[in-house]
């Protein structure tokens, strides 16, 4: 490795990192991006995204209607229950207006929403070809501008002296070397792929969690920063998790292992017992609680059961459902107690009040006298064949991060702002998103704070 | 379940894609896929022929190899497409010609060339190496009547085989015949085909060597396609001149058949090497190596057709004319006869797939919300 001391060193290779790198390079700094993943897996969880939430005052070719800053802020306050730094949130939302144009100028293309499942056509701008296409465009632009990118290069240690970044220690294909730089941008994601870390917060049950995204988000940079004086933000014990197909690979199954059929059936645990109201609210408002619900069940596994009437009501998924012509056979195929499952289904069927089934609204098909109840879309499971999907918690991202100010500058444990360290993306998302989630907001956080961080880092490096 | 491994793989890949749908803005294949929940052989034949192999979805895919889901839509559909050509061939016993296309077409070309040369020689040996000029100069070598008979038969035979193949394909994808009779749908498909609407990665451009959309296949295809049509138009105008106006070839350089033929010839001579070069540079990850012979053969034949045609034009007043004419006629004769048994059929099946997609798009537009 030849000596290369860039003005700005960017840790990470996703949307936030690339926006920071491009902004810094455009501001005249020399930039090195260190991506822990191999080239194909570059980009962390940005690879699995498909849109970005942006405020806008009028409809555009790709956005179906206006989405004001106020409405965006209301949505953010609602999903986080107020767990957000309001100054940073306002800044981000204001900047998001220009971001769709800025990132477009970096080569990223958008498309009109065609068949999104969550009706996001008004609030979110969709990347043509999805997250990897967006990343490819950003990398192309960065490289054309002269940003240096190294893959398979994991930052394993940081030399920080008196809140001042000196150098990063890099492990590249077994070789360790040090990269000094004038400014540092931490955009290396969260720690959701670090099972040991997850087990600290969740206990051994975390071993049964699946990781929906990159296996390279091990949180090494986050850990270094927190150990060396950076102030933390966000609940260290929380993560965003949904219930995904239990047959999904341990890492990187992405969007295609999700299941949108909970509301159309019942969900039972290993003991063939229901444990939560499957029809509490429309799916887009409830899908994010099911990861934690399943995590609390024995062995962190559950089974979504539905019948032939529901099979076409939801988006197809990667794996075919397990099916049988009667409940007992289905139970046997799921390795559940047939008597117990039959009892649960019979109890549920008997409790279903007749109503007008309508998947588009909160209909009046509810159970009576059942604990837990099913408040909507409750129809007896009577039409063979019967289907089941086994599900496990699938972690999307973690909330713990580094605290930043409106310059995306790290705030340290002693209350001062770091002189030359910045953060962007998932590693600091907890500042804005202390809890909950709204589709496409991760990309907004990454792009907005990436650009701010890159610009600030370049300015510092050139002073 | 599926007739071949390629179809089984297509089913697997489309099932992954249908659960993702990130590529739905790239082309027609993905919206068409979203209208289905399972993929029978006919569905896959349709989707495969709808695919223009622009490559964008491969480089945009987070599940492409080396990811364990191993999603490679361009390759999976290319293999199914090639199989559909062979399967729909009429008469069926000619279907092996697709796999050994280069050998078969070369042999036919050689035989045709020898045939024309021998025919010319027998017709008037002393006329073969002399310069000829003025109206009817070509017909000293071979009578117009003979040309019409020989090429008319070849053309009609090709047309019949193509029509039978199309009917077979159409039945295979289970689309009602009425769709092909709708002027509005035919117009929509003609527009999509003529503009190569789906050979541009959804607006970003085609990808061929890597994830950079630097590919110029759409441009070269336009040159070749419109060049071919222009040459065909030249032939038609010449026929009208001959029978309608009583004017015999060769025509002066400024006359319509020559202008159309020359422009078309240049289009082909520039377009086909461009396409060939793109094939050579293609990322092996998305190239269907097993069927590259068929594609290369078709491109080379078009190139030779144009080159020999231009040679006849430029040297028609010299003693080389007769040999060049034999060469050109031999190549054109081969091209026509081989149409139903090579890459030419891609245009036919893709157009048919676009007609069906126009129908499905219309159905889709009438459905206000297909999200769930």
């Amino acid at each position: 490795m030849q000596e290369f001391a860039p003005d700005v060193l960017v840790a990470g290779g996703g949307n936030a990192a690339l926006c920071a790198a491009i902004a810094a390079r455009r501001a005249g700094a020399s930039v090195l991006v260190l991506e822990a993943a191999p080239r194909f897996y570059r980009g962390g969880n940005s690879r699995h995204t498909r849109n970005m939430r942006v405020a806008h005052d009028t409809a555009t070719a790709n956005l179906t209607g206006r989405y004001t800053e106020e409405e965006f802020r209301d949505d953010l306050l609602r999903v986080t229950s107020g767990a957000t730094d309001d100054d940073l949130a306002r800044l981000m939302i204001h900047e998001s207006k220009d971001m769709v144009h800025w990132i477009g100028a970096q080569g990223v293309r958008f498309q009109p929403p065609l068949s999104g499942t969550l009706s996001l056509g008004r609030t979110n701008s969709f990347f043509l070809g999805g997250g990897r296409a967006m990343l490819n465009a950003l990398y192309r632009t960065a490289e054309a501008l002269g940003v240096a990118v190294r893959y398979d290069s994991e930052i394993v240690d940081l030399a920080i002296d008196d809140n001042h970044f000196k150098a990063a220690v890099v492990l590249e294909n077994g070789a360790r070397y040090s990269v000094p730089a004038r400014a540092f941008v931490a955009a290396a994601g969260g720690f959701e792929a670090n099972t040991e870390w997850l087990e600290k917060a969740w206990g051994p049950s975390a071993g049964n969690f699946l990781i929906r995204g990159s296996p390279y988000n091990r949180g090494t940079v986050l850990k270094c920063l927190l150990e060396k004086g950076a102030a933390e933000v966000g609940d260290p014990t929380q993560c965003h998790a949904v219930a995904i197909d239990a047959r999904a690979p341990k890492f990187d199954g992405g969007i295609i292992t999700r299941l949108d059929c909970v509301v159309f059936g019942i969900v039972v645990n290993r003991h063939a017992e229901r444990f939560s109201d499957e029809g509490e609210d429309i799916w887009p408002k409830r899908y994010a609680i099911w990861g934690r619900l399943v995590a609390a069940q024995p062995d962190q596994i559950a089974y979504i059961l539905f019948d032939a009437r529901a099979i076409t009501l939801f988006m197809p998924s990667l794996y075919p459902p397990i099916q049988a012509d009667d409940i007992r056979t289905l139970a046997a195929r799921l390795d559940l107690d047939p008597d117990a499952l039959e009892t649960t289904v019979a109890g549920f069927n008997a409790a279903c009040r007749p109503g007008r089934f309508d998947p588009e609204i909160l209909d009046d098909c509810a159970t009576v006298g059942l604990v837990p109840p099913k408040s909507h879309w409750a129809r007896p499971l009577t039409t063979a064949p019967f289907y089941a999907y086994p599900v496990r918690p699938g972690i999307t991202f973690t909330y713990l991060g580094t605290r930043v100010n409106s310059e995306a500058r790290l705030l340290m444990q002693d209350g001062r702002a770091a002189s030359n360290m910045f953060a962007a993306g998932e590693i600091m998302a907890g500042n804005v998103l202390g809890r909950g989630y709204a589709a496409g907001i991760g990309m907004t956080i990454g792009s907005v704070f990436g650009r701010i961080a890159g610009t600030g880092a370049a300015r510092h490096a050139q002073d | 379940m599926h007739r071949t491994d390629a179809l089984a793989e297509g089913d697997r890949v489309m099932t992954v894609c249908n659960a993702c749908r990130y590529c739905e803005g790239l082309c027609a294949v993905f919206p068409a896929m979203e209208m289905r929940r399972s993929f029978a052989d006919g569905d896959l034949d349709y989707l495969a022929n709808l695919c223009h192999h622009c490559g964008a979805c491969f480089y945009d895919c987070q599940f492409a190899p080396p990811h364990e889901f191993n999603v490679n839509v361009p390759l999976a559909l290319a293999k199914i497409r090639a199989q559909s050509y062979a399967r729909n061939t009429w008469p069926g016993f000619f279907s092996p010609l697709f796999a050994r296309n280069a050998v078969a077409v070369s042999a036919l070309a050689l035989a045709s060339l020898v045939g024309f040369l021998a025919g010319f020689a027998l017709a008037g040996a002393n006329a073969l190496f002399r310069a000829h000029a003025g109206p009817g100069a070509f017909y000293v070598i071979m009578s117009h009547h003979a040309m019409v008979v020989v090429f008319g038969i070849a053309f009609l035979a090709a047309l019949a085989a193509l029509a039978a193949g199309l009917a077979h394909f159409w039945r295979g994808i289970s689309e009602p015949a009425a769709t092909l009779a709708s002027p509005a749908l035919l117009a929509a498909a003609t527009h999509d085909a003529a503009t190569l609407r789906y050979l541009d990665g959804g607006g970003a451009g085609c990808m061929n060597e890597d994830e950079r959309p630097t590919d110029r296949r759409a441009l070269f295809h336009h040159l070749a396609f419109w060049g071919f049509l222009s040459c065909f138009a030249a032939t038609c105008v010449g026929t009208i001149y001959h029978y309608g106006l009583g004017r015999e070839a060769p025509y002066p350089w400024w006359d319509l058949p020559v202008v159309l033929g020359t422009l078309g010839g240049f289009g082909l001579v520039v377009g086909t090497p461009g396409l060939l070069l793109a094939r050579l540079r293609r990322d092996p990850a998305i190239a269907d190596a097993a069927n590259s012979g068929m594609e290369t053969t078709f491109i080379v034949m078009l190139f030779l057709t144009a080159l020999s045609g231009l040679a006849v034009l430029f040297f028609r007043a010299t003693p080389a004319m007769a040999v060049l004419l034999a060469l050109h006629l031999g190549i054109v004769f081969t091209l026509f006869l081989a149409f139903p048994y090579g890459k030419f059929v891609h245009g036919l099946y893709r157009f048919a797939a676009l007609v069906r997609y126009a129908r499905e798009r219309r159905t889709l537009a009438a459905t206000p919300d297909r999200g769930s």
Side-chain angles (χ1 to χ4, degrees), chain A residues 39 47-48 115 132 314, chain B residues 22 24 37 61-62 211:
Chain A
R39 192 177 189 280
R47 293 171 67 246
H48 292 289
S115 73
R132 188 169 167 226
F314 56 93
Chain B
Y22 282 17
E24 65 186 5
R37 286 184 82 93
C61 180
Q62 67 271 37
E211 79 271 3

Side-chain angles (χ1 to χ4, degrees), chain B residues 213-274:
Chain B
T214 54
D215 187 41
R216 294 281 167 274
R217 264 179 300 162
L219 171 69
F220 291 125
H221 192 287
H222 275 310
L223 284 169
F225 175 73
W226 294 106
F228 175 79
L229 276 194
S230 188
C231 290
F232 191 71
T235 310
C236 295
V237 174
T239 307
I240 293 170
Y241 275 17
H242 188 92
Y243 289 112
L245 307 178
R247 293 181 51 198
E248 289 198 343
Y251 304 107
W253 67 267
W254 47 262
D255 210 345
L256 200 52
V258 184
V259 171
L260 286 172
T262 309
L263 286 177
F266 279 124
L268 278 166
V269 161
V270 176
T272 49

Side-chain angles (χ1 to χ4, degrees), chain B residues 30-199:
Chain B
F30 297 96
M33 166 199 79
E34 289 176 17
M35 291 178 229
R36 296 162 167 81
R37 286 184 82 93
S38 60
F39 303 95
D41 287 356
D43 297 316
L44 291 164
D45 276 357
Y46 161 57
L47 294 173
N49 280 286
L50 203 50
C51 170
H52 290 48
H53 205 100
C54 80
C57 63
F58 176 76
Y59 300 101
D60 290 355
C61 180
Q62 67 271 37
F63 304 122
H67 194 284
E68 63 187 282
F69 290 158
N70 194 28
V71 173
N72 189 336
V73 177
L75 182 59
L77 295 187
K79 288 181 175 173
I80 294 172
R81 202 158 50 236
Q83 290 183 352
S84 81
Y85 299 162
R87 192 184 318 118
N88 291 307
T89 306
W90 183 87
F93 56 81
F94 277 161
S95 58
L97 290 177
F98 285 90
R100 306 187 52 87
N101 210 239
V103 175
V105 171
S106 303
L108 181 60
L110 198 66
S112 306
L113 177 60
V114 170
F116 278 102
L117 276 175
F120 288 4
L122 285 175
N126 52 356
L128 207 51
F129 297 104
R130 285 219 309 268
H132 303 275
F138 294 144
Y139 310 126
V140 174
I141 311 291
M142 181 179 182
S143 79
H144 187 265
H145 185 68
M147 279 195 201
V148 167
V149 169
V150 168
F151 283 92
I153 289 171
F155 187 68
L156 289 177
L159 217 56
L162 289 170
L166 177 65
H168 198 261
F169 172 75
W170 202 247
R171 274 197 305 277
I173 66 170
S174 311
E175 183 69 12
T179 308
L180 268 183
S182 157
L185 297 179
L186 290 173
T190 303
H191 172 265
D192 292 348
T195 57
L196 293 177
R197 177 173 175 179
Y198 299 113
L199 192 61

